[in-house]
Amino acid sequence: MLKELVLLKEMQALDTRIIRLKTLIDNTPAAMNEYGRSFKDSQDERQKKDTDLDKALRQKREFEQAAADKSEKIKKLRSKSADIKTNKEYQLHLKEVEQLEKEVRLIEDDILIVMEQIEEFEKTSSVANKKFEKEQVKYHEAVSVVKKDQDDAEKELDVLLKQRGELAKTIPKDVYNRYMHILERKNALAVVAAKDELCHGCFLNMPPQLFAEVMKGEKINTCPQCGRMLYFEPETP
Ligand SMILES: [Zn+2]
Protein backbone atom coordinates (compact mmCIF):
# COMPACT_ATOMS: atom_id res chain seq x y z
CA MET A 1 0.00 0.00 0.00
CA LEU A 2 1.12 3.53 -0.78
CA LYS A 3 2.96 4.94 2.24
CA GLU A 4 0.77 8.04 2.28
CA LEU A 5 -2.35 5.91 2.37
CA VAL A 6 -0.98 3.98 5.33
CA LEU A 7 -0.36 7.27 7.12
CA LEU A 8 -3.83 8.57 6.24
CA LYS A 9 -5.40 5.39 7.54
CA GLU A 10 -3.55 5.91 10.81
CA MET A 11 -4.64 9.53 10.87
CA GLN A 12 -8.25 8.57 10.37
CA ALA A 13 -8.07 6.07 13.25
CA LEU A 14 -6.62 8.80 15.49
CA ASP A 15 -9.20 11.36 14.42
CA THR A 16 -12.09 8.97 14.95
CA ARG A 17 -10.88 8.30 18.49
CA ILE A 18 -10.18 12.00 19.13
CA ILE A 19 -13.70 12.96 18.06
CA ARG A 20 -15.19 10.25 20.27
CA LEU A 21 -13.20 11.51 23.27
CA LYS A 22 -14.13 15.15 22.60
CA THR A 23 -17.81 14.21 22.41
CA LEU A 24 -17.54 12.32 25.71
CA ILE A 25 -15.89 15.33 27.37
CA ASP A 26 -18.46 17.74 25.91
CA ASN A 27 -21.31 15.57 27.15
CA THR A 28 -20.00 15.31 30.70
CA PRO A 29 -21.98 18.25 32.18
CA ALA A 30 -25.19 17.00 30.58
CA ALA A 31 -24.54 13.49 31.90
CA MET A 32 -24.00 14.90 35.41
CA ASN A 33 -27.22 16.91 35.17
CA GLU A 34 -29.08 13.83 34.08
CA TYR A 35 -27.89 11.88 37.12
CA GLY A 36 -28.46 14.92 39.31
CA ARG A 37 -32.09 15.26 38.32
CA SER A 38 -33.52 12.23 40.12
CA PHE A 39 -31.30 12.99 43.11
CA LYS A 40 -32.67 16.54 43.22
CA ASP A 41 -36.24 15.21 42.83
CA SER A 42 -35.78 12.88 45.79
CA GLN A 43 -34.30 15.75 47.79
CA ASP A 44 -37.31 17.97 47.05
CA GLU A 45 -39.70 15.14 47.87
CA ARG A 46 -37.96 14.49 51.19
CA GLN A 47 -38.13 18.17 52.09
CA LYS A 48 -41.82 18.31 51.22
CA LYS A 49 -42.64 15.26 53.36
CA ASP A 50 -40.56 16.56 56.26
CA THR A 51 -42.36 19.89 56.03
CA ASP A 52 -45.76 18.15 56.09
CA LEU A 53 -44.72 16.23 59.18
CA ASP A 54 -43.30 19.30 60.93
CA LYS A 55 -46.49 21.24 60.21
CA ALA A 56 -48.66 18.48 61.66
CA LEU A 57 -46.46 18.18 64.75
CA ARG A 58 -46.63 21.93 65.29
CA GLN A 59 -50.39 21.85 64.82
CA LYS A 60 -50.67 19.08 67.45
CA ARG A 61 -48.62 21.11 69.93
CA GLU A 62 -50.82 24.16 69.31
CA PHE A 63 -53.99 22.14 69.87
CA GLU A 64 -52.57 20.62 73.04
CA GLN A 65 -51.63 24.05 74.30
CA ALA A 66 -55.10 25.39 73.51
CA ALA A 67 -56.74 22.44 75.29
CA ALA A 68 -54.45 22.90 78.29
CA ASP A 69 -55.25 26.63 78.45
CA LYS A 70 -58.97 25.94 78.40
CA SER A 71 -58.67 23.18 81.02
CA GLU A 72 -56.74 25.59 83.20
CA LYS A 73 -59.54 28.14 82.79
CA ILE A 74 -62.11 25.53 83.82
CA LYS A 75 -60.05 24.71 86.89
CA LYS A 76 -59.88 28.36 87.85
CA LEU A 77 -63.61 28.88 87.29
CA ARG A 78 -64.38 25.86 89.46
CA SER A 79 -62.13 27.05 92.22
CA LYS A 80 -64.14 30.27 92.31
CA SER A 81 -67.52 28.55 92.39
CA ALA A 82 -67.72 28.85 96.18
CA ASP A 83 -67.76 32.63 95.87
CA ILE A 84 -70.90 32.63 93.72
CA LYS A 85 -73.79 34.24 95.49
CA THR A 86 -76.86 34.20 93.27
CA ASN A 87 -78.52 31.47 91.31
CA LYS A 88 -78.26 33.57 88.16
CA GLU A 89 -74.55 33.87 88.61
CA TYR A 90 -74.35 30.16 89.23
CA GLN A 91 -76.25 29.35 86.02
CA LEU A 92 -73.90 31.63 84.08
CA HIS A 93 -70.94 29.95 85.74
CA LEU A 94 -72.20 26.46 84.77
CA LYS A 95 -72.84 27.60 81.22
CA GLU A 96 -69.35 29.01 80.93
CA VAL A 97 -67.77 25.81 82.24
CA GLU A 98 -69.93 23.70 79.94
CA GLN A 99 -68.98 25.82 76.94
CA LEU A 100 -65.29 25.48 77.77
CA GLU A 101 -65.61 21.73 78.27
CA LYS A 102 -67.30 21.48 74.89
CA GLU A 103 -64.45 23.42 73.30
CA VAL A 104 -61.88 21.15 74.95
CA ARG A 105 -63.66 18.06 73.56
CA LEU A 106 -63.65 19.59 70.06
CA ILE A 107 -59.94 20.33 70.33
CA GLU A 108 -59.33 16.77 71.53
CA ASP A 109 -61.12 15.49 68.42
CA ASP A 110 -58.84 17.67 66.32
CA ILE A 111 -55.83 16.27 68.15
CA LEU A 112 -56.91 12.73 67.27
CA ILE A 113 -57.25 13.71 63.61
CA VAL A 114 -53.86 15.40 63.54
CA MET A 115 -52.31 12.36 65.28
CA GLU A 116 -53.58 10.15 62.49
CA GLN A 117 -52.07 12.56 60.00
CA ILE A 118 -48.77 12.49 61.87
CA GLU A 119 -48.71 8.70 61.73
CA GLU A 120 -49.29 8.84 57.96
CA PHE A 121 -46.72 11.61 57.44
CA GLU A 122 -44.15 9.72 59.49
CA LYS A 123 -44.54 6.77 57.12
CA THR A 124 -44.29 8.83 53.91
CA SER A 125 -41.45 10.89 55.33
CA SER A 126 -39.51 7.75 56.20
CA VAL A 127 -40.07 6.37 52.69
CA ALA A 128 -38.95 9.68 51.16
CA ASN A 129 -35.87 9.78 53.39
CA LYS A 130 -34.84 6.26 52.44
CA LYS A 131 -35.35 7.04 48.75
CA PHE A 132 -33.27 10.21 49.15
CA GLU A 133 -30.41 8.33 50.83
CA LYS A 134 -30.43 5.73 48.07
CA GLU A 135 -30.47 8.39 45.35
CA GLN A 136 -27.69 10.27 47.09
CA VAL A 137 -25.42 7.21 47.07
CA LYS A 138 -26.37 6.47 43.46
CA TYR A 139 -25.69 10.05 42.45
CA HIS A 140 -22.27 10.22 44.10
CA GLU A 141 -21.29 6.91 42.55
CA ALA A 142 -22.48 7.99 39.09
CA VAL A 143 -20.73 11.35 39.36
CA SER A 144 -17.44 9.75 40.34
CA VAL A 145 -17.68 7.36 37.38
CA VAL A 146 -18.52 10.20 34.98
CA LYS A 147 -15.67 12.30 36.39
CA LYS A 148 -13.21 9.45 36.09
CA ASP A 149 -14.30 8.84 32.48
CA GLN A 150 -13.81 12.53 31.81
CA ASP A 151 -10.35 12.57 33.39
CA ASP A 152 -9.32 9.45 31.47
CA ALA A 153 -10.66 10.92 28.25
CA GLU A 154 -8.75 14.17 28.79
CA LYS A 155 -5.52 12.32 29.48
CA GLU A 156 -5.93 10.10 26.43
CA LEU A 157 -6.89 13.10 24.30
CA ASP A 158 -3.67 14.89 25.28
CA VAL A 159 -1.61 11.90 24.18
CA LEU A 160 -3.53 11.44 20.94
CA LEU A 161 -3.31 15.11 19.98
CA LYS A 162 0.47 14.95 20.40
CA GLN A 163 0.59 11.77 18.30
CA ARG A 164 -1.59 13.45 15.71
CA GLY A 165 0.74 16.42 15.52
CA GLU A 166 3.72 14.14 14.94
CA LEU A 167 1.86 12.07 12.36
CA ALA A 168 0.66 15.16 10.48
CA LYS A 169 4.31 16.21 10.00
CA THR A 170 4.99 12.99 8.08
CA ILE A 171 2.15 13.50 5.56
CA PRO A 172 2.76 15.72 2.51
CA LYS A 173 0.95 19.04 2.94
CA ASP A 174 -1.29 18.70 -0.14
CA VAL A 175 -2.35 15.17 0.85
CA TYR A 176 -3.04 16.30 4.39
CA ASN A 177 -5.13 19.21 3.14
CA ARG A 178 -7.14 16.93 0.90
CA TYR A 179 -7.73 14.62 3.83
CA MET A 180 -8.89 17.51 6.06
CA HIS A 181 -11.15 18.83 3.32
CA ILE A 182 -12.98 15.51 3.09
CA LEU A 183 -12.96 14.98 6.87
CA GLU A 184 -14.73 18.28 7.49
CA ARG A 185 -17.37 17.68 4.85
CA LYS A 186 -17.97 13.96 5.18
CA ASN A 187 -19.05 13.42 8.74
CA ALA A 188 -15.48 13.15 10.09
CA LEU A 189 -14.77 10.14 7.91
CA ALA A 190 -12.26 10.72 5.10
CA VAL A 191 -10.49 7.37 4.75
CA VAL A 192 -12.56 4.22 4.49
CA ALA A 193 -12.09 0.57 3.64
CA ALA A 194 -12.95 -0.91 0.28
CA LYS A 195 -14.04 -4.41 1.11
CA ASP A 196 -16.17 -6.98 -0.71
CA GLU A 197 -16.18 -4.46 -3.60
CA LEU A 198 -18.05 -2.01 -1.38
CA CYS A 199 -17.07 1.47 -0.26
CA HIS A 200 -17.44 1.29 3.51
CA GLY A 201 -18.17 4.99 3.70
CA CYS A 202 -21.35 5.03 1.63
CA PHE A 203 -21.75 1.34 0.71
CA LEU A 204 -21.62 1.97 -2.98
CA ASN A 205 -20.96 -1.15 -5.02
CA MET A 206 -17.69 -0.11 -6.61
CA PRO A 207 -16.91 -0.48 -10.33
CA PRO A 208 -14.57 -3.54 -10.72
CA GLN A 209 -11.89 -1.42 -12.40
CA LEU A 210 -11.77 0.97 -9.44
CA PHE A 211 -11.78 -1.85 -6.93
CA ALA A 212 -8.84 -3.46 -8.75
CA GLU A 213 -6.94 -0.17 -8.53
CA VAL A 214 -7.70 0.21 -4.85
CA MET A 215 -6.48 -3.34 -4.34
CA LYS A 216 -3.17 -2.50 -5.97
CA GLY A 217 -2.88 0.48 -3.63
CA GLU A 218 -0.46 2.40 -5.84
CA LYS A 219 -2.28 5.71 -5.57
CA ILE A 220 -4.98 7.39 -3.53
CA ASN A 221 -8.32 6.45 -5.07
CA THR A 222 -11.57 8.04 -4.01
CA CYS A 223 -15.12 6.73 -4.03
CA PRO A 224 -17.07 8.12 -7.01
CA GLN A 225 -20.16 8.53 -4.84
CA CYS A 226 -19.00 9.88 -1.47
CA GLY A 227 -15.54 11.13 -2.45
CA ARG A 228 -13.78 9.43 0.46
CA MET A 229 -10.28 8.00 0.15
CA LEU A 230 -10.22 4.24 -0.16
CA TYR A 231 -7.84 1.55 1.03
CA PHE A 232 -8.14 -2.13 0.34
CA GLU A 233 -9.23 -4.47 3.06
CA PRO A 234 -9.33 -8.21 2.31
CA GLU A 235 -12.66 -10.01 2.53
CA THR A 236 -13.46 -11.62 5.83
CA PRO A 237 -13.02 -15.34 5.31
ZN1 LIG B 1 -18.29 5.94 -0.88
Side-chain angles (χ1 to χ4, degrees):
M1 205 193 294
L2 191 71
K3 189 182 160 238
E4 284 156 9
L5 203 50
V6 174
L7 297 175
L8 286 174
K9 202 180 145 189
E10 250 180 74
M11 185 59 107
Q12 178 66 67
L14 272 179
D15 277 341
T16 299
R17 183 69 190 152
I18 285 169
I19 288 161
R20 196 166 299 159
L21 291 171
K22 280 185 174 166
T23 307
L24 189 148
I25 293 165
D26 288 348
N27 289 341
T28 298
M32 291 224 195
N33 278 344
E34 191 53 45
Y35 287 121
R37 202 168 302 147
S38 59
F39 170 54
K40 178 79 175 56
D41 285 349
S42 73
Q43 199 172 25
D44 291 348
E45 182 68 6
R46 178 184 77 147
Q47 185 140 33
K48 195 177 161 291
K49 297 299 176 201
D50 284 352
T51 309
D52 286 345
L53 179 59
D54 284 348
K55 250 193 222 162
L57 286 168
R58 203 179 321 126
Q59 178 94 75
K60 181 174 168 259
R61 280 195 301 274
E62 279 166 13
F63 284 156
E64 282 169 345
Q65 187 59 52
D69 289 349
K70 286 187 196 294
S71 298
E72 186 59 29
K73 244 187 200 167
I74 294 169
K75 228 167 110 188
K76 269 187 191 154
L77 278 173
R78 281 193 174 134
S79 71
K80 281 190 223 150
S81 64
D83 304 335
I84 296 170
K85 300 209 169 50
T86 68
N87 186 43
K88 204 180 166 197
E89 273 176 0
Y90 190 67
Q91 290 307 319
L92 271 174
H93 165 81
L94 281 184
K95 228 177 161 183
E96 203 178 345
V97 169
E98 239 171 63
Q99 177 60 30
L100 282 166
E101 279 174 344
K102 199 176 149 197
E103 284 171 19
V104 169
R105 278 198 302 276
L106 286 175
I107 294 172
E108 279 168 352
D109 288 346
D110 285 342
I111 291 176
L112 285 179
I113 292 167
V114 88
M115 275 168 76
E116 275 171 26
Q117 281 179 342
I118 286 169
E119 208 180 310
E120 191 53 39
F121 288 158
E122 274 171 348
K123 273 184 219 153
T124 52
S125 163
S126 154
V127 169
N129 271 287
K130 275 187 195 124
K131 173 121 198 274
F132 166 76
E133 278 159 23
K134 242 193 214 163
E135 289 291 336
Q136 191 175 32
V137 171
K138 243 168 75 182
Y139 174 67
H140 287 308
E141 278 171 4
V143 163
S144 73
V145 169
V146 170
K147 267 194 187 142
K148 175 148 193 326
D149 287 349
Q150 185 193 21
D151 283 352
D152 291 349
E154 275 167 357
K155 274 177 209 148
E156 192 185 343
L157 186 61
D158 275 352
V159 174
L160 294 187
L161 286 174
K162 268 178 210 131
Q163 277 181 23
R164 192 190 194 281
E166 291 304 312
L167 184 61
K169 284 184 210 158
T170 65
I171 301 172
K173 192 87 188 136
D174 60 326
V175 176
Y176 178 79
N177 288 344
R178 248 181 90 194
Y179 166 83
M180 285 308 291
H181 185 86
I182 304 171
L183 194 78
E184 280 156 15
R185 281 159 190 79
K186 294 288 170 184
N187 204 18
L189 201 58
V191 184
V192 295
K195 189 177 164 189
D196 305 334
E197 296 196 22
L198 288 176
C199 160
H200 276 246
C202 68
F203 294 93
L204 170 79
N205 214 327
M206 289 163 58
Q209 175 65 29
L210 173 63
F211 189 67
E213 273 186 41
V214 174
M215 231 172 130
K216 272 191 227 156
E218 285 166 356
K219 66 183 192 81
I220 299 172
N221 289 288
T222 54
C223 168
Q225 181 163 268
C226 70
R228 293 185 174 99
M229 298 165 167
L230 298 162
Y231 65 86
F232 173 70
E233 198 172 285
E235 279 180 38
T236 340

